[in-house]
Amino acid sequence: NDDLFTDDIAEQARAIKEKLEREKQLAAKVDASKHYETSKKLKAQLEASRNDPKWRQLYEKRSNLPIALLKDELLERLRSHDAIVVCGETGCGKTTQVPQFLLDDAIDREEGGICNIVCTQPRRVAATSIAERVSVERCERGGVGGSGSLVGHHVRLDAKITNQTRLTFCTTGILLRRLQGDRMLSDVTHVVIDEVHERSLDGDFLLTLLKDLPRRRRDAGLRPVKLVLMSATLNAALFS
């Protein structure tokens, strides 16, 4: 009788496991279909924006920034490496443009549906003001965190993000708290750490946690996250 009872328990466990696996596969198919539709929609919206005179005027100004010359090389390096270091003088445009390079590249490759870029700033004022600037450059009518906006910000006691947000500017502390709840940052595709030369306890701790994140994600069967470290004054070899 004990053997029969044990066999029944094992059979029930197998049935439950198989059911959960089927549900997981179904959910994955639904998510994939949803991401595909979202990616198509975002690409169509970006192509439409490129025909807008105001967008073209702003894009022309953006294209004249020194960092624009490195766009193709930056994206190519990031495709073949888990992390890159971007050094550029103040005013070269790296803070506002590099996150947009990543976003537009994902959308053009029809991966906008899964794209989720997090860009940290050491101070909340920088995070909110840069988000506003990027939103303006992208001609988002709803503004940061508004309807249809892809740009959001998240600082202490103030979050403007929605399920449509694809690029979030936040403080270092916000990303550390996010890592407490999700050590893998499972839904994040890119992490951009700006002003990385500004050494602080939070900043150094964040770099330590992120150092082996691409490998841990890969080992867990997840898509490896891409890391971008940026600074105006930096010994690139040290961080490399």
Side-chain angles (χ1 to χ4, degrees):
N1 290 336
D2 289 343
D3 290 342
L4 290 174
F5 179 74
T6 302
D7 290 343
D8 287 342
I9 294 296
E11 184 63 31
Q12 291 176 15
R14 281 194 295 271
I16 292 173
K17 184 177 180 180
E18 290 174 358
K19 180 182 178 182
L20 291 174
E21 187 62 30
R22 287 195 300 269
E23 291 177 349
K24 182 179 179 180
Q25 291 175 357
L26 179 61
K29 289 180 179 179
V30 171
D31 287 342
S33 176
K34 181 179 179 182
H35 289 322
Y36 176 77
E37 293 174 0
T38 302
S39 296
K40 287 285 190 182
K41 181 180 179 181
L42 289 175
K43 186 173 183 179
Q45 290 175 346
L46 180 58
E47 290 174 347
S49 295
R50 286 169 173 160
N51 293 322
D52 183 281
K54 183 179 178 181
W55 190 95
R56 288 203 301 268
Q57 182 181 15
L58 289 170
Y59 183 76
E60 184 177 351
K61 292 180 180 179
R62 291 168 52 196
S63 299
N64 289 328
L65 292 170
I67 195 66
L69 298 174
L70 299 177
K71 176 182 177 180
D72 292 338
E73 181 182 357
L74 184 153
L75 294 173
E76 184 61 32
R77 292 287 183 91
L78 201 57
R79 290 190 187 104
S80 55
H81 297 81
D82 288 333
I84 61 173
V85 179
V86 179
C87 302
E89 296 180 359
T90 300
C92 73
K94 62 186 182 302
T95 296
T96 58
Q97 302 309 303
V98 171
Q100 293 191 77
F101 293 165
L102 303 177
L103 178 58
D104 289 342
D105 180 61
I107 293 174
D108 283 332
R109 290 187 291 113
E110 297 188 2
E111 294 182 357
I114 61 172
C115 181
N116 186 3
I117 305 165
V118 177
C119 184
T120 69
Q121 292 291 329
R123 289 169 291 278
R124 59 180 291 147
V125 174
T128 56
S129 62
I130 293 168
E132 292 285 352
R133 176 60 192 173
V134 171
S135 181
V136 169
E137 289 184 353
R138 302 186 69 82
C139 296
E140 295 186 337
R141 293 186 177 87
V144 176
S147 177
S149 173
L150 302 183
V151 181
H153 73 237
H154 190 181
V155 297
R156 187 166 177 261
L157 303 178
D158 184 13
K160 290 186 177 181
I161 51 177
T162 69
N163 58 2
Q164 297 174 311
T165 303
R166 294 293 179 269
L167 171 56
T168 304
F169 291 90
C170 68
T171 54
T172 305
I174 290 295
L175 185 55
L176 282 173
R177 281 193 284 275
R178 188 167 177 174
L179 278 162
Q180 285 182 324
D182 180 7
R183 292 180 63 246
M184 292 289 193
L185 293 178
S186 52
D187 64 338
V188 175
T189 56
H190 303 75
V191 177
V192 181
I193 309 297
D194 199 8
E195 306 296 354
V196 73
H197 66 283
E198 293 194 13
R199 304 297 296 275
S200 67
L201 183 61
D202 280 356
D204 288 354
F205 189 36
L206 178 61
L207 289 175
T208 302
L209 293 176
L210 293 176
K211 182 179 180 180
D212 65 343
L213 181 58
R215 178 190 58 77
R216 289 191 288 112
R217 289 258 298 244
R218 194 178 289 108
D219 291 344
L222 300 172
R223 179 175 181 168
V225 66
K226 298 294 184 176
L227 307 179
V228 180
L229 309 182
M230 302 197 302
S231 178
T233 56
L234 175 70
N235 182 349
L238 175 64
F239 286 89
S240 297

